[in-house]
Amino acid sequence: LIYIYFNACEFISQLASHKYFRIIQNSSPTFTGKEVITIYVFEILQNMRTVKSIHSYIKIYLHFYL
């Protein structure tokens, strides 16, 4: 998970140098774009292929942290 986060940070920092890049359209998001990319890539690697399954997992997982 840390490796995925590191790569997401690298990706966004390289992309941000070319043009403004924003994943989250909310003006005061709870998560950063880096964290969103990390969660989605992690879940895809866990064979969760649909947005609904990813959202369900995140909701259960983050319930303990928020």
Side-chain angles (χ1 to χ4, degrees):
L1 191 56
I2 294 169
Y3 180 76
I4 295 169
Y5 180 76
F6 175 75
N7 283 314
C9 292
E10 280 286 316
F11 172 74
I12 289 177
S13 68
Q14 290 174 2
L15 192 59
S17 66
H18 296 288
K19 65 178 185 177
Y20 184 72
F21 180 71
R22 188 171 179 182
I23 295 171
I24 302 170
Q25 300 301 322
N26 189 346
S27 63
S28 58
T30 305
F31 300 101
T32 66
K34 296 170 189 173
E35 293 165 337
V36 171
I37 289 175
T38 302
I39 290 169
Y40 275 92
V41 170
F42 179 73
E43 298 308 319
I44 289 170
L45 292 174
Q46 298 298 316
N47 291 324
M48 294 188 184
R49 302 291 181 196
T50 65
V51 173
K52 184 176 181 177
S53 66
I54 292 171
H55 285 192
S56 297
Y57 181 82
I58 291 169
K59 186 176 180 181
I60 292 167
Y61 181 78
L62 292 179
H63 174 74
F64 296 106
Y65 295 101
L66 298 176

